[in-house]
Each structure stands twice: as structure tokens, then as C-alpha cells.
Amino acid sequence: MHELSIAMSIVDMAQEEAERRNVHIEAVHLELGALSGVVKEALLFSFEIACDGTPLQGSRLVVKDVPIEVYCPACNMPKTLASMQWFCCPDCGTPASEVIHGKELVITALELKQ
Amino acid sequence: MSPEPRLLEVRKNVLKQNDVIARALRDRFRAQGTYVISLVSSPGAGKTTFLEKTLTVLRPHYRVAALVGDLATENDALRLARSGAPVRQITTGTLCHLEAAMVENSLKDWKLGQLDLLFIENVGNLVCPASYDLGEDLRLVLLSVTEGEDKPLKYPTIFNGADAAVITKIDLAAAVEFDELTANANIQAVRPGMLVFKVSAKTNEGMDGFLQFLAQTHTRSSQNTPV
Ligand SMILES: [Zn+2]
């Protein structure tokens, strides 16, 4: 399980940003791709542990799941996969290996304490 | 009524530090003409045996070396060293995967300009290594016939992120009733167009085909190296 070390990176990065801007964090918003290799439940659990004893203690991690989007060479446009066990265009069935979205592991916003 | 949450927009890639080091490594490998191949698999897939055979066969023709990630013991490194190639252990402690910084630190005094091929054996794990770029040119995912045909469907992320698949212990296929067609279909389902090699490090079946492929991709990459 590598979610704990990833959670610690998230806490470090968020805290660094908070200190730089002199703000306090209520929640960290994260985009998490289905192909990121990170398990959401494990990450949420690890985030709480990683926050312990830091200025982020008690803050939340708000995860936005990013589905896998591939480029379909037949339809000539991006398509969202129905299943990560089937890398084919959901409309025409053409195999599609070019991944456009789904690998995200990105902090997108900090929700600040009022 | 509570006030609207105040949102501060940022955009920070959580794995940026690893990605930056991996990119620098890749540039360095390319500049020095070293072709880098990493191997991922679950524990017991025969990764070390396969790599030992690969190193032994390549060594008379190429300058080869290996880095091997392991949780604690040095057994894998000792086994690989029997090939005669320079081998270094990366002990990861409790960490279940290699990161680019560990690769960078382990290179130490090795002169990359004197290495044609560098192999990086990741820790036996089909989950965590998926998130970390190591600066390699080629990522191989290994699957042994004893693990069953549905492994790619259970671990689509690591299979999708690999460049080629190697089915190991093919000499045992009949004994464990391994269904090659289904395995291949499952690999293609999660990574359309993936090259699949079927090998046995024990009987040498399929090893030639794999080594020829390595030689070709290595040559192609060195010809593309900007001078
Ligand atoms: Zn299509």
C-alpha cells in the first residue's frame, strides 16, 4: 500500500501552499484518475493519519473521481470508457489504447477556513 | 446560513517530484546511450529467474547491468550476480515499490556511457509500482502461467501502463491448464495492441524471440538518439 506516502505528499504540498499564502485549510480538493494506481478508500483513510499532528489535522480530503477517457481512432474523438477492463470505444467497439484522462493525481483546490 | 466555502484554486501534481526526477533520468539515459528496461510482476512470477537468464544470455554481446528492488533480503541480487553482470540491490524497507529517486541514488559511480542495457527489477507488487515513473524506456509486466488468465483484468492499471507483457513459466502451461488464448484476450482487453512474449527461463522456450525484440528496440532507440 503506497496510499499513506501519497497522502503525506498531499498534506505536505497543501501545507506548503497554505503557509506561503498565510491561510488555513478546511479541505483539500483532489482529482483522482481511475488509472492513477491509487485506491480512493485507502487514500481517504491514509489522509486522516497523515494529517495527525499537522496544521491540517481535522481537515477533509474531497476526491473527484476522473473516469478513463480514450481517443477512438474510428470515431476520431475522445470517448469515456465504460469499464477499465475493456479498452474499446463504448460506441463502435474499436480498440482504443490512447489514454487522454484517467491518470490524474492532482490537487485542484484548497478550501479555506473562514 | 453558513458562508460559501472559500476555494483557492491550485493545480499541483502530487507525484511531481517523482516525475521530475524520472524525466531527468530518462534524459540522462538517452544522452549516455543506455537503454533501460523495468520489470514489474506479483511476487513469485519468476521475475528474478527470467532476468538472470536474460542477463546471462545478453552479457557476451552487450554491456548489461541490473538494479533490483527488494523489501529486505539481498537474495535476488545475489542470484542475479551469478550472471556475471554488475548488480545492485535497492532495499526499499517497508516501501512496496521503487521510486525514481531510489534509482538515481543507486546509480552512484556507474558510468552509464559504458552500459548498453540497464534492467530495473521492481518490488514484487502489481499495484503500487503503477504510479511511479522510473525513467525507463520499456516497462515489462510479467505474468506466470500459475497465476491464472484473469490477472490482467484484476490489475488493469499496471497492465495498461506497461509496454509489453511476458508470460513466464510457459513450460508449466499444460500442467496447470493455462488457457493462452484467454490470457492473451484479457491482456488485449486492458491494453489493446500489447506485445506478448511467452517464455520459459527453464527450457529456454521463447527466450530467443524476446531477446531479439530487446535487441531491435535497443537498436531503434540508439538510432533515434539525437547527436
Ligand atoms: Zn469509436
Side-chain angles (χ1 to χ4, degrees):
Chain A
M1 195 183 96
H2 61 310
E3 278 78 5
L4 184 58
S5 72
I6 286 176
M8 285 159 73
S9 298
I10 294 172
V11 170
D12 284 349
M13 291 171 101
Q15 181 54 22
E16 195 183 307
E17 195 67 22
E19 274 168 22
R20 207 164 61 80
R21 299 174 187 247
N22 199 22
V23 292
H24 295 281
I25 295 174
E26 175 81 37
V28 179
H29 290 233
L30 184 84
E31 276 181 8
L32 185 62
L35 272 182
S36 66
V38 173
V39 180
K40 183 171 152 183
E41 290 69 31
L43 184 64
L44 289 170
F45 175 74
S46 301
F47 182 77
E48 243 179 75
I49 299 173
C51 284
D52 254 357
T54 77
L56 266 80
Q57 190 160 342
S59 66
R60 291 172 297 123
L61 182 66
V62 181
V63 175
K64 183 187 167 216
D65 295 303
V66 181
I68 303 170
E69 192 177 270
V70 294
Y71 178 78
C72 173
C75 299
N76 199 17
M77 61 191 293
K79 299 276 179 167
T80 301
L81 285 192
S83 155
M84 65 188 298
Q85 296 175 332
W86 192 244
F87 277 71
C88 289
C89 174
D91 296 322
C92 72
T94 303
S97 57
E98 193 184 329
V99 175
I100 302 169
H101 286 295
K103 297 189 176 175
E104 289 81 355
L105 185 54
V106 180
I107 300 174
T108 53
L110 303 175
E111 206 173 305
L112 308 183
K113 279 186 180 151
Q114 302 293 317
Chain B
M1 235 176 77
S2 61
E4 285 292 300
R6 201 177 138 213
L7 273 188
L8 183 64
E9 277 188 42
V10 294
R11 193 149 185 99
K12 287 183 171 289
N13 173 7
V14 178
L15 294 173
K16 185 172 179 222
Q17 202 187 355
N18 186 78
D19 290 350
V20 166
I21 298 170
R23 210 170 305 139
L25 276 176
R26 190 167 282 118
D27 290 345
R28 200 171 138 198
F29 291 143
R30 209 149 283 175
Q32 300 287 321
T34 308
Y35 190 69
V36 182
I37 304 109
S38 76
L39 296 87
V40 291
S41 79
S42 46
K47 197 162 16 96
T48 308
T49 310
F50 171 74
L51 185 52
E52 183 187 347
K53 175 66 90 179
T54 300
L55 290 171
T56 305
V57 177
L58 289 176
R59 211 173 74 84
H61 313 287
Y62 295 94
R63 298 167 298 176
V64 294
L67 294 173
V68 45
D70 210 342
L71 293 170
T73 64
E74 287 228 29
N75 292 344
D76 286 357
L78 289 176
R79 276 175 62 197
L80 290 178
R82 294 193 304 208
S83 68
V87 175
R88 242 171 222 167
Q89 178 91 9
I90 307 178
T91 305
T92 58
T94 58
L95 208 58
C96 47
H97 60 270
L98 290 179
E99 296 185 9
M102 299 172 178
V103 171
E104 188 186 39
N105 293 338
S106 326
L107 293 174
K108 285 185 251 174
D109 56 329
W110 275 359
K111 293 194 171 55
L112 291 176
Q114 294 170 10
L115 279 184
D116 299 315
L117 297 159
L118 171 66
F119 292 85
I120 304 174
E121 182 184 331
N122 216 315
V123 181
N125 184 331
L126 280 180
V127 181
C128 310
S131 306
Y132 299 89
D133 182 3
L134 301 179
E136 69 271 65
D137 295 292
L138 185 79
R139 181 171 287 208
L140 299 175
V141 59
L142 277 68
L143 158 76
S144 74
V145 297
T146 55
E147 294 174 81
E149 303 83 10
D150 56 350
K151 211 93 195 209
L153 301 182
K154 284 184 185 160
Y155 300 94
T157 301
I158 198 104
F159 276 85
N160 183 266
D163 301 299
V166 179
I167 300 177
T168 58
K169 306 186 190 177
I170 200 74
D171 55 300
L172 299 176
V176 299
E177 296 182 2
F178 180 75
D179 182 349
E180 240 177 73
L181 285 178
T182 304
N184 193 54
N186 290 343
I187 292 171
Q188 302 305 323
V190 298
R191 178 67 146 103
M194 176 109 100
L195 273 177
V196 181
F197 298 93
K198 291 164 289 183
V199 304
S200 165
K202 196 170 156 197
T203 66
N204 278 334
E205 184 183 343
M207 286 301 293
D208 275 356
F210 169 72
L211 293 168
Q212 268 169 23
F213 159 75
L214 262 196
Q216 281 163 6
T217 46
H218 166 248
T219 308
R220 218 175 304 136
S221 89
S222 47
Q223 282 164 352
N224 290 339
T225 305
V227 183

